């Protein structure tokens, strides 16, 4: 930005009839700068705002990720958008994300800080690696659910054996007490990571399960850094295991439907939807799964989110109504209302529009 006096001099010389070449030579700036002030693209004394590197598709991606995973760390989100083509630095991303705070509904900064750097109690570094002389074995074995949070699994273990979670934590290494106090189940603090393997084997002994099975099912022990969404496990899948209460899990971000039972896995806190009235939604999930053979989950999610905004809100003609997502929306609301589920949930629109969005996303990625 030029000093105000110099910029106003450009306008004065132009009003006096000076050509652009003469003004540029007299002021000592480029022709383009002179033209910008003359044409009004720049205003004296006002800094031209820089274009945002966080484009609307990427901002929409961030909105969706923060809605699906409320405890998502900003550093993890930056890594995802960088893989999708964000060209700025981490500081630039934080600044532009903060600028869109009202639209993106960001979590409180103190909460984010506590997730990225959980407080380690005094002396914890000395006790994390110290196991118990002999971990007891509980009488009843509890099978973990794929993607289940550590807090949920420990609560089910305690309930099945008629104990409290505090009593279960008392016979486990202090690694578990620190881990369960962290809102982000997948965060691997540098002081917790070295003791994770021993903690895994202690829990395997306590619950009479295999360490490999626990590591595969519980994200708290996993090393997979692929993006996930927070939801609850399919209630029909958990019912087969004898589980009646909702089980909070972290699933891959593209996983929207339990194709085995035809259930829409709504965001955390919302009831699941029965999709038996619209089997094409489960078919769309299979189609999305096949896309992952050639594209990353981030690319698929970005393409899907962009496609959602491009799906026409109304059918092109009366003949197209039975194939339009609004017809599917009404069918889902009617069918699930009979099961006692309210009809004003956002999950209905997300599920109804899913086949159309996957079709458009497939074409865009191709």
């Amino acid at each position: 930005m030029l000093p105000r006096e110099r910029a106003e001099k450009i306008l004065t010389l132009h009003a006096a009839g000076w050509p652009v070449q003469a003004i540029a030579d007299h002021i000592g700036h480029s022709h383009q700068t002179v033209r910008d002030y003359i044409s009004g693209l720049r205003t004296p004394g006002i800094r031209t705002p820089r274009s945002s590197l966080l484009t609307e598709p990427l901002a929409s991606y961030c909105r969706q990720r923060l809605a699906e995973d409320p405890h998502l760390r900003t550093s993890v989100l930056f890594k995802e958008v960088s893989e999708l083509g964000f060209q700025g630095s981490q500081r630039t991303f934080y600044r532009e994300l903060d600028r869109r705070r009202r639209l993106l509904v960001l979590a409180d900064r103190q909460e984010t800080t506590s997730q990225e750097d959980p407080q380690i109690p005094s002396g914890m570094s000395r006790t994390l690696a110290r196991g118990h002389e002999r971990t007891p074995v509980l009488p009843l074995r509890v099978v973990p659910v794929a993607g289940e949070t550590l807090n949920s699994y420990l609560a089910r273990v305690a309930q099945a054996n008629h104990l409290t979670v505090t009593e279960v934590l008392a016979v486990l290494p202090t690694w578990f007490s620190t881990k369960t106090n962290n809102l982000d189940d997948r965060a691997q603090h540098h002081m917790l990571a070295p003791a994770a393997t021993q903690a895994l084997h202690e829990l395997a002994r306590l619950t009479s399960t295999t360490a490999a099975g626990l590591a595969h099912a519980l994200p708290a022990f996993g090393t997979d850094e692929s993006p996930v969404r927070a939801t609850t496990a399919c209630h029909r899948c958990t019912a087969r295991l004898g589980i009646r209460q909702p089980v909070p899990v972290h699933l891959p971000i593209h996983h929207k439907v339990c194709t085995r039972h035809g259930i829409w896995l709504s965001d955390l806190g919302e009831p699941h939807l029965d999709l038996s009235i619209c089997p094409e939604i489960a078919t769309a999930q299979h189609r999305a799964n096949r896309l992952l053979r050639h594209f990353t989950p981030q690319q698929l999610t970005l393409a899907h989110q962009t496609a959602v905004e491009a799906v026409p809100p109304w059918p092109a003609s009366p003949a197209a109504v039975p194939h339009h997502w609004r017809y599917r929306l009404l069918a889902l609301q009617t069918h699930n209302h009979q099961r006692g589920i309210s009809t004003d949930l956002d999950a209905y629109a997300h599920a109804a529009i899913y086949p159309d969005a996957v079709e458009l996303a497939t074409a865009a990625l191709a």
Side-chain angles (χ1 to χ4, degrees):
M1 183 183 71
L2 297 182
R4 187 183 187 92
E5 297 78 8
R6 190 172 299 180
E8 290 177 345
K9 188 173 183 180
I10 292 176
L11 299 179
T12 302
L13 294 176
H14 175 68
W18 283 43
V20 172
Q21 176 68 46
I23 297 175
D25 293 341
H26 181 73
I27 298 298
H29 289 282
S30 67
H31 297 172
Q32 187 60 49
T33 301
V34 172
R35 289 192 185 96
D36 286 348
Y37 280 102
I38 292 174
S39 63
L41 293 179
R42 295 190 183 185
T43 304
I46 299 178
R47 184 180 297 276
T48 303
R50 293 185 299 178
S51 58
S52 175
L53 295 177
L54 190 63
T55 60
E56 189 54 41
L58 291 178
S60 180
Y61 176 89
C62 293
R63 257 195 309 273
Q64 184 65 20
R65 293 290 291 118
L66 291 170
E68 292 182 339
D69 192 356
H71 301 309
L72 179 66
R73 287 170 290 155
T74 313
S75 58
V76 176
L77 186 58
F78 168 71
K79 183 178 179 181
E80 293 180 17
V81 297
S82 296
E83 294 177 3
L84 292 173
F86 181 76
Q87 299 296 323
S89 64
Q90 189 171 13
R91 179 176 297 180
T92 300
F93 174 70
Y94 287 175
R95 183 178 62 250
E96 296 196 7
L97 197 60
D98 186 62
R99 188 181 302 168
R100 295 173 177 264
R101 187 185 314 170
R102 295 182 182 179
L103 296 177
L104 300 177
V105 196
L106 289 177
D108 184 79
R109 289 188 178 183
Q110 293 181 352
E111 179 180 341
T112 303
T113 303
S114 65
Q115 293 177 34
E116 297 200 7
D117 190 13
Q119 295 296 319
I120 304 297
S122 177
M124 183 63 72
S125 58
R126 297 189 300 272
T127 60
L128 281 174
R130 186 186 67 214
H132 294 269
E133 294 182 359
R134 186 172 181 81
T135 303
V137 179
L138 295 177
L140 295 180
R141 179 173 178 266
V142 176
V143 179
V145 176
E148 185 173 6
T149 63
L150 184 61
N151 280 319
S152 172
Y153 181 64
L154 292 178
R156 292 199 300 112
V157 168
Q159 182 182 22
N161 290 275
H162 305 287
L163 300 170
T164 65
V165 175
T166 302
E167 290 172 328
V168 172
L169 290 174
V171 297
L172 288 171
T174 51
W175 184 94
F176 288 93
S177 299
T178 306
K179 189 75 172 177
T180 54
N181 287 330
N182 189 13
L183 294 175
D184 187 356
D185 204 40
R186 292 167 29 112
Q188 297 293 340
H189 192 272
H190 69 279
M191 295 179 68
L192 294 176
T197 301
Q198 180 183 349
L200 173 64
H201 286 86
E202 296 286 349
L203 182 62
R205 172 177 171 78
L206 178 72
T207 58
S208 300
T209 54
T210 64
L214 288 174
H216 179 73
L218 303 180
F221 295 106
T223 57
D224 184 11
E225 296 183 355
S226 57
V228 295
R229 57 186 293 257
T231 181
T232 50
C234 171
H235 61 275
R236 293 185 180 176
C237 290
T238 54
R240 296 180 62 184
L241 300 175
I243 305 172
R244 301 301 175 210
Q245 71 270 27
V247 177
V249 294
H250 285 104
L251 299 180
I253 52 175
H254 71 280
H255 194 168
K256 311 286 187 180
V257 180
C258 173
T259 53
R260 173 181 292 179
H261 298 110
I263 297 296
W264 179 262
L265 303 175
S266 308
D267 292 341
L268 194 65
E270 293 189 357
H272 293 171
L273 304 180
D274 185 354
L275 303 177
S276 57
I277 195 71
C278 300
E280 65 270 23
I281 300 178
T283 302
Q285 178 68 77
H286 286 296
R287 189 175 186 181
N289 293 342
R290 290 194 293 271
L291 288 174
L292 290 178
R293 300 173 185 173
H294 309 286
F295 304 99
T296 65
Q298 294 95 317
Q299 290 174 325
L300 176 58
T301 301
L302 178 61
H304 171 263
Q305 192 59 30
T306 304
V308 166
E309 300 173 1
V311 173
W314 299 101
S317 65
V321 170
H323 305 287
H324 195 262
W325 69 269
R326 287 192 177 274
Y327 183 89
R328 202 178 295 126
L329 173 65
L330 180 61
L332 287 173
Q333 289 174 327
T334 304
H335 180 70
N336 284 274
H337 184 63
Q338 298 173 358
R339 301 174 54 236
I341 299 178
S342 174
T343 59
D344 60 352
L345 302 175
D346 293 338
Y348 284 109
H350 297 161
I353 213 168
Y354 188 64
D356 305 77
V358 169
E359 183 178 357
L360 288 178
T362 302
L365 290 171

